Amino acid sequence: MKIRKKVKSAMEQLHIEQLRPNQLKPVNRILDGKDTLLIAATSFGKSIVSQIAAIILNLENKLTIIIEPLTALSHDQVKKLQKLGIAAVYLDSTQSKDERQTVREMLENQELTILYLSPEKLNPNFIPHEIYKNDIGLVVVDECHCVTAWGHTFREDYLHIGEFIDSLKHRPTILAMTASAPPEDRNEIMELLSMRDAKCITNSLNRSNLHFMKQMVTSRPEQIKNLKKHLKKFHRHTTIIYCSTQNTVEEIAKRLKELYPGEVVAYHGGNKKGERDMLSGKKHIIAATSALAMGVSIKNVDLVIHYNMPLSVPDYYQMSGRAGREGQKARSILIYNRSDYYSNRAMLRDIDDPDTRKTVMERLDAMKELCEDEEQCMYSMILAALGEKRENKCRYCTNCQKAR
């Protein structure tokens, strides 16, 4: 596939030597003004697609808005882009009044290439009016599975992104990206984002370097014991341990600091110091909530451990995908305690909307089946939940190993 001169120039700015054809295809669609839903694995390089398009659109004095679910994601991307001399900033609640004013002045003067926001910042009560002085050429919704996964529960502003897009004087192109939107959610995502004549580009979610393991436990002491056993056996470079609550994150981090002094950090929304320590690369065992599943760049992760049962198979895949992003051999280990299933059910019963409650309960049950099934290939079950059929068994997951 021939690469346009403007794309080559943008690649040079980003210090990218080569694009794969499956990365170039969505770039070309965006530059042709076509709305696109991009489904691709965590190691695909989806951010490169949006950044190349943003740089080229800026040649026409057009602003790109990228909507991220987490401040850590925005901070990580902006830091990298600014080092490359690209006019990228974020606007969020972590900034001082003076910092926010500087961003507003840059918007007023139309000096930006990329602006990173959360969906909450697009709420009519909070949106900076200076945004409307810019010609917005592209709106990117990163981790767009959050539109349906979170919009119907605890982040309603995700459901109103389409209204913001419709309010703009000139309609921008829309790019939505994720690794974990099940097929049954994709049309709703495109509709809620007000996408027009959109095409869904799907890439294989199979990652042969990532091996899945699981272990059933019957008590919390056994859960802790197995966590320590797996760390001792498999921890080499960087390990992420996913926990269901902030309290559990803090508890696990406290326990592990005694065994791995100086290596452990707790990451969750209430711990900004933990976020800085994690992003600095100085800590190599990270106890985290599921928020860390969202694309934050952490290098050399070769082990992911789920201390608690995830809420769905897509969530499980998204979190596991933090491992092996550089192509190295990596493991995802699920420690399954059936009590986690009942705790999750109790939490999900509080969802008011009956249709949403039914959907999330069904997905929790599918996750339980993955945990308890002892015959089917784990990877085949995961990919099937994400709409992809796998012809052969992976040979490396716990169930495949048992069958050998």
Side-chain angles (χ1 to χ4, degrees):
M1 192 178 292
K2 190 175 180 180
I3 301 180
R4 307 179 198 191
K5 288 183 179 179
K6 289 180 180 179
V7 173
K8 288 182 179 178
S9 177
M11 288 168 60
E12 289 175 5
Q13 281 187 257
L14 292 168
H15 296 184
I16 298 168
E17 294 183 2
Q18 191 173 4
L19 281 180
R20 297 186 296 271
N22 53 357
Q23 288 177 309
L24 188 58
K25 185 178 180 180
V27 169
N28 287 337
R29 276 189 60 83
I30 297 161
L31 296 180
D32 291 338
K34 297 176 180 178
D35 291 354
T36 303
L37 172 59
L38 177 59
I39 309 290
T42 49
S43 57
F44 178 87
K46 294 184 286 294
S47 61
I48 291 171
V49 172
S50 59
Q51 290 166 5
I52 286 175
I55 290 169
I56 295 170
L57 288 169
N58 188 245
L59 297 174
E60 304 170 13
N61 296 316
K62 291 182 177 180
L63 172 68
T64 292
I65 291 177
I66 299 182
I67 301 168
E68 297 281 12
L70 305 172
T71 58
L73 275 170
S74 300
H75 297 180
D76 187 37
Q77 293 293 334
V78 166
K79 184 178 179 181
K80 292 175 182 176
L81 290 168
Q82 287 183 348
K83 283 184 178 179
L84 296 172
I86 295 165
V89 298
Y90 57 82
L91 186 64
D92 63 40
S93 58
T94 69
Q95 294 168 306
S96 67
K97 184 177 179 180
D98 288 344
E99 288 171 330
R100 290 196 294 272
Q101 182 58 35
T102 298
V103 173
R104 296 176 80 111
E105 289 172 1
M106 294 176 80
L107 284 167
E108 174 83 31
N109 298 324
Q110 300 176 36
E111 298 172 346
L112 291 175
T113 300
I114 305 175
L115 174 64
Y116 285 84
L117 295 170
S118 69
E120 286 77 14
K121 283 296 178 185
L122 295 176
N123 186 300
N125 296 320
F126 301 106
I127 190 168
H129 66 83
E130 293 89 351
I131 279 181
Y132 293 101
K133 297 193 176 182
N134 291 262
D135 185 1
I136 299 171
L138 176 64
V139 173
V140 180
V141 184
D142 194 16
E143 309 293 357
C144 67
H145 61 277
C146 296
V147 172
T148 50
W150 293 358
H152 293 298
T153 51
F154 66 100
R155 292 184 73 173
E156 188 180 342
D157 288 293
Y158 262 109
L159 302 180
H160 303 297
I161 294 172
E163 295 171 15
F164 162 73
I165 291 168
D166 290 338
S167 74
L168 298 172
K169 186 176 181 181
H170 299 114
R171 190 180 182 284
T173 304
I174 305 166
L175 170 64
M177 309 187 295
T178 183
S180 56
E184 61 269 22
D185 287 0
R186 294 171 190 175
N187 285 337
E188 185 183 5
I189 289 170
M190 290 189 283
E191 184 178 338
L192 287 168
L193 294 179
S194 195
M195 298 171 79
R196 299 178 185 174
D197 300 320
K199 180 177 180 179
C200 181
I201 297 178
T202 58
N203 297 270
S204 177
L205 299 174
N206 180 43
R207 294 193 31 213
S208 58
N209 64 312
L210 180 56
H211 300 165
F212 288 86
M213 301 167 60
K214 61 183 177 180
Q215 184 159 14
M216 178 91 73
V217 297
T218 57
S219 67
R220 292 303 178 196
E222 190 182 359
Q223 212 161 337
I224 288 284
K225 181 181 177 181
N226 275 276
L227 171 62
K228 293 177 179 178
K229 180 186 75 174
H230 293 313
L231 276 171
K232 185 177 180 180
K233 185 173 181 179
F234 296 117
H235 172 60
R236 296 291 180 270
H237 297 101
T238 301
T239 295
I240 299 174
I241 303 163
Y242 285 110
C243 307
S244 57
T245 67
Q246 291 187 8
N247 287 341
T248 308
V249 166
E250 292 290 351
E251 177 195 346
I252 294 301
K254 183 179 179 180
R255 285 175 177 266
L256 294 179
K257 283 176 182 177
E258 299 173 5
L259 296 173
Y260 300 90
E263 279 201 73
V264 182
V265 63
Y267 171 83
H268 53 72
N271 185 2
K272 293 303 174 186
K273 182 180 183 302
E275 179 180 312
R276 292 192 297 271
D277 288 343
M278 179 192 70
L279 292 175
S280 71
K282 295 176 182 177
K283 306 291 185 179
H284 300 290
I285 297 177
I286 305 163
T289 58
S290 60
L292 191 56
M294 307 291 181
V296 180
S297 182
I298 306 169
K299 293 189 179 299
N300 297 319
V301 178
D302 47 16
L303 177 61
V304 164
I305 299 176
H306 288 86
Y307 181 76
N308 297 115
M309 174 191 182
L311 293 172
S312 70
V313 178
D315 286 349
Y316 177 48
Y317 176 82
Q318 181 85 25
M319 288 185 262
S320 298
R322 293 298 94 208
R325 294 187 72 193
E326 292 86 19
Q328 75 274 32
K329 181 180 177 181
R331 289 181 175 85
S332 173
I333 302 175
L334 170 61
I335 303 173
Y336 174 55
N337 186 334
R338 193 168 290 165
S339 64
D340 286 335
Y341 169 74
Y342 294 107
S343 297
N344 287 339
R345 277 190 67 86
M347 177 184 67
L348 296 177
R349 274 199 296 266
D350 291 337
I351 295 173
D352 292 330
D353 181 71
D355 291 334
T356 301
R357 186 169 60 249
K358 180 175 182 290
T359 298
V360 297
M361 287 292 194
E362 288 173 351
R363 290 181 179 173
L364 179 63
D365 286 342
M367 186 66 219
K368 179 174 179 283
E369 182 182 356
L370 176 65
C371 292
E372 297 184 352
D373 185 284
E374 296 182 356
E375 297 181 0
Q376 298 181 73
C377 170
M378 290 178 67
Y379 220 149
S380 295
M381 294 179 72
I382 293 166
L383 293 178
L386 295 165
E388 182 175 336
K389 185 176 179 181
R390 183 188 178 99
E391 297 296 333
N392 302 312
K393 294 181 178 181
C394 74
R395 299 188 300 132
Y396 298 106
C397 74
T398 297
N399 287 354
C400 286
Q401 286 289 315
K402 283 181 180 178
R404 291 176 74 172

